Amino acid sequence: MLKDADRVFLEEKFLSKFDFSGEDREKVIKNCKNKFMKKDEILYQDNEGYYGYIIIKNGILRAYVTSNTLKEITIFRVKSGEECILSSNYTTTSFGKELNFQIEECCEFLFIPMQIYQELKEKYPSVTNHTLKLISKKFSSVIEVIEQALFLPLSDRIRIFLEQNCKNKTIKITHEQLANHLGSAREAISRTLKDMEKSGEIERKRGFITILSSDFKRN
Amino acid sequence: MLKDADRVFLEEKFLSKFDFSGEDREKVIKNCKNKFMKKDEILYQDNEGYYGYIIIKNGILRAYVTSNTLKEITIFRVKSGEECILSSNYTTTSFGKELNFQIEECCEFLFIPMQIYQELKEKYPSVTNHTLKLISKKFSSVIEVIEQALFLPLSDRIRIFLEQNCKNKTIKITHEQLANHLGSAREAISRTLKDMEKSGEIERKRGFITILSSDFKRN
């Protein structure tokens, strides 16, 4: 059973977008669950328990692609207030098959099981439209990842990542993690960070990276 | 006005998928155009004349991403009998903003203007569903491109490309073109092809590449 605060959150972030019947609203509320997952936990592809519509309350969920050799690259993140669809049945809904999902920062989220979401999608064209918009937006993210990964120098990609993910100009991250976010090799990351530190652009200390100069302009 | 053969093609590849009213069927037929474009022509993003729903009769349309430095990578191809949506208004429909489209092989295609397609999408949930499936499928292609571009050795990527695009084991392609398909540098492509020729895997002659050994298994 959802707490009052979660009901309000669900209303604001989901129910209010659609013109559901009273009965369908109740069905969503009754089946929606509040879940909590710890940092670094992985939403396994074969764990159907997590197929459905997810709305993040707090924390960050990271979608990434991985290779046989365990190299990774982050495709997009889902942050507080944002939503995502996880599905095994790619052709009828959305992500899941090709993407892996990992909790990047401790996550509290609301979860609507796939079966309920599918029923809504079949009944309300507005839900299909909403799904289409979500996927189109993610499609843009993927294209952006390709552009950056293939066409930008690693130093620029590190700058973009640091700027997008720092808090008060600082970020706690290992070279290994940064390599996984950017689909690069740890050695290349370490070398580039060293160069950036030498040139006075950043400072590295106890696992933290701090941006010192901010004259990097993204295109 | 569509020729009879084109009407049959439109019926088979588009109209028969949906339960349109007689009036809407006629509207599609009336507004659908037969177009022809030559090899290497580009469907410019700012040329709204080409925003709409495209069904390829013959030829190949290539979707690619390009960088400031004019490097390219192919994201997907649309071949005979396949369809694609080109749009400026990414959030409501589909591709266009981030992707460039080029005629890879002389193309004859049917074209339904965006306005007509949008009207159908608003009126028929089945059209929105169809759009969702199209985008989901392309989403898979993009993820596959990322996986290959980042995680596979260039030699394997060349092998996959040759196998997917050869006719009778042979393909006519320059090193420059191959570099653009794979988002790689021409020099790297030339070097790798030379190695593959040395090892007896391929033969290069007058702009053609022929696959000699076929023991390459994709994963």
Side-chain angles (χ1 to χ4, degrees):
Chain A
M1 191 69 179
L2 284 187
K3 286 182 202 160
D4 283 351
D6 285 341
R7 270 184 88 131
V8 171
F9 187 77
L10 180 67
E11 171 68 36
E12 183 195 337
K13 290 288 174 188
F14 188 74
L15 296 172
S16 66
K17 291 185 205 282
F18 310 102
D19 198 19
F20 293 149
S21 71
E23 199 184 336
D24 286 326
R25 282 175 56 89
E26 282 312 307
K27 197 193 243 177
V28 173
I29 293 167
K30 199 182 141 198
N31 286 282
C32 181
K33 291 181 185 101
N34 179 308
K35 299 216 178 197
F36 181 83
M37 287 182 83
K38 283 184 211 152
K39 185 170 156 55
D40 295 335
E41 277 192 87
I42 286 170
L43 283 72
Y44 286 104
Q45 288 173 9
D46 50 1
N47 183 350
E48 297 213 4
Y50 285 105
Y51 288 145
Y53 190 91
I54 281 176
I55 314 166
I56 308 286
K57 284 186 68 186
N58 308 293
I60 299 174
L61 180 65
R62 176 174 87 97
Y64 65 101
V65 171
T66 184
S67 72
N68 295 341
T69 53
L70 295 180
K71 277 173 82 177
E72 297 179 8
I73 185 163
T74 300
I75 302 296
F76 58 81
R77 289 189 177 71
V78 197
K79 300 183 179 180
S80 306
E82 294 177 345
E83 64 273 286
C84 188
I85 303 160
L86 269 68
S87 164
S88 63
N89 194 346
Y90 194 86
T91 49
T92 51
T93 342
S94 180
F95 321 116
K97 224 167 115 188
E98 294 89 352
L99 294 177
N100 304 295
F101 288 87
Q102 184 184 35
I103 304 298
E104 187 170 314
E105 283 182 15
C106 281
C107 244
E108 193 185 353
F109 58 87
L110 295 189
F111 173 81
I112 303 166
M114 187 48 84
Q115 199 198 324
I116 305 291
Y117 189 78
Q118 286 285 20
E119 282 173 31
L120 295 171
K121 202 157 83 58
E122 274 156 37
K123 203 159 163 185
Y124 299 94
S126 54
V127 176
T128 309
N129 250 318
H130 175 68
T131 311
L132 185 55
K133 279 183 194 170
L134 272 184
I135 297 202
S136 295
K137 211 174 138 193
K138 297 307 183 208
F139 191 89
S140 302
S141 307
V142 189
I143 296 292
E144 205 179 329
V145 167
I146 289 191
E147 283 176 337
Q148 292 186 5
L150 291 180
F151 302 139
L152 274 191
L154 186 57
S155 53
D156 283 354
R157 297 174 57 213
I158 291 178
R159 286 183 191 109
I160 291 171
F161 181 88
L162 295 179
E163 289 193 341
Q164 286 180 343
N165 294 283
C166 68
K167 280 175 191 159
N168 301 322
K169 298 270 174 197
T170 294
I171 183 170
K172 184 180 190 309
I173 195 165
T174 66
H175 296 191
E176 183 77 39
Q177 286 169 330
L178 195 46
N180 283 343
H181 280 300
L182 300 178
S184 182
R186 195 190 50 71
E187 297 74 13
I189 295 283
S190 298
R191 200 167 46 237
T192 311
L193 284 175
K194 206 172 171 183
D195 289 346
M196 290 169 75
E197 190 171 45
K198 261 190 200 161
S199 69
E201 199 179 338
I202 58 163
E203 188 183 54
R204 292 179 294 164
K205 220 181 242 177
R206 293 184 305 256
F208 286 87
I209 300 173
T210 304
I211 303 175
L212 298 177
S213 96
S214 62
D215 39 349
F216 172 69
K217 295 276 176 295
R218 194 171 157 198
N219 286 330
Chain B
M1 192 68 179
L2 286 187
K3 287 182 204 160
D4 282 351
D6 285 342
R7 269 184 90 133
V8 172
F9 188 77
L10 181 67
E11 171 68 36
E12 183 196 337
K13 289 289 174 187
F14 188 73
L15 295 172
S16 66
K17 291 185 205 283
F18 310 102
D19 196 19
F20 294 148
S21 70
E23 199 184 336
D24 286 326
R25 282 176 55 88
E26 281 312 307
K27 198 193 243 177
V28 173
I29 293 167
K30 200 182 140 198
N31 285 283
C32 181
K33 291 180 186 103
N34 180 307
K35 299 216 179 199
F36 181 83
M37 287 182 83
K38 283 184 211 150
K39 185 170 155 56
D40 295 335
E41 277 194 86
I42 285 169
L43 282 72
Y44 285 105
Q45 288 172 9
D46 51 1
N47 183 351
E48 297 214 4
Y50 285 103
Y51 287 146
Y53 190 91
I54 282 176
I55 314 166
I56 308 287
K57 283 187 67 187
N58 309 293
I60 300 174
L61 180 65
R62 176 174 88 97
Y64 65 101
V65 171
T66 183
S67 73
N68 295 340
T69 53
L70 296 180
K71 278 172 83 177
E72 297 179 8
I73 186 163
T74 301
I75 303 296
F76 58 81
R77 290 188 176 71
V78 197
K79 300 183 180 181
S80 307
E82 295 176 345
E83 65 275 285
C84 188
I85 303 160
L86 269 69
S87 164
S88 63
N89 194 347
Y90 194 86
T91 50
T92 52
T93 343
S94 181
F95 322 117
K97 225 166 115 187
E98 294 89 352
L99 294 178
N100 304 295
F101 288 87
Q102 186 185 32
I103 304 297
E104 188 171 311
E105 282 183 14
C106 280
C107 244
E108 193 185 351
F109 57 87
L110 294 189
F111 174 79
I112 302 166
M114 187 47 85
Q115 201 198 323
I116 305 290
Y117 189 78
Q118 285 285 19
E119 282 173 30
L120 295 171
K121 202 157 82 59
E122 274 155 36
K123 205 162 163 185
Y124 299 93
S126 53
V127 177
T128 309
N129 250 318
H130 175 69
T131 311
L132 184 56
K133 279 181 194 170
L134 271 183
I135 298 201
S136 296
K137 211 175 139 195
K138 297 307 182 208
F139 191 87
S140 302
S141 308
V142 188
I143 297 292
E144 204 180 330
V145 167
I146 290 190
E147 284 176 337
Q148 292 187 4
L150 291 180
F151 301 139
L152 274 192
L154 186 56
S155 53
D156 283 355
R157 297 174 57 213
I158 292 178
R159 287 184 191 109
I160 291 172
F161 180 87
L162 295 179
E163 289 194 341
Q164 285 180 345
N165 294 282
C166 68
K167 280 174 193 160
N168 301 323
K169 298 270 174 196
T170 294
I171 183 170
K172 184 181 190 308
I173 195 163
T174 67
H175 296 189
E176 183 77 38
Q177 286 168 329
L178 194 47
N180 283 343
H181 280 299
L182 300 178
S184 182
R186 194 190 49 72
E187 296 75 13
I189 295 283
S190 298
R191 201 166 46 238
T192 311
L193 284 176
K194 206 171 170 182
D195 289 347
M196 290 169 73
E197 190 171 45
K198 261 189 202 161
S199 68
E201 199 178 340
I202 58 162
E203 187 185 55
R204 291 179 296 163
K205 220 181 242 179
R206 293 183 305 257
F208 286 87
I209 300 173
T210 304
I211 303 175
L212 298 179
S213 97
S214 61
D215 40 349
F216 172 68
K217 293 276 176 297
R218 195 170 156 197
N219 286 327

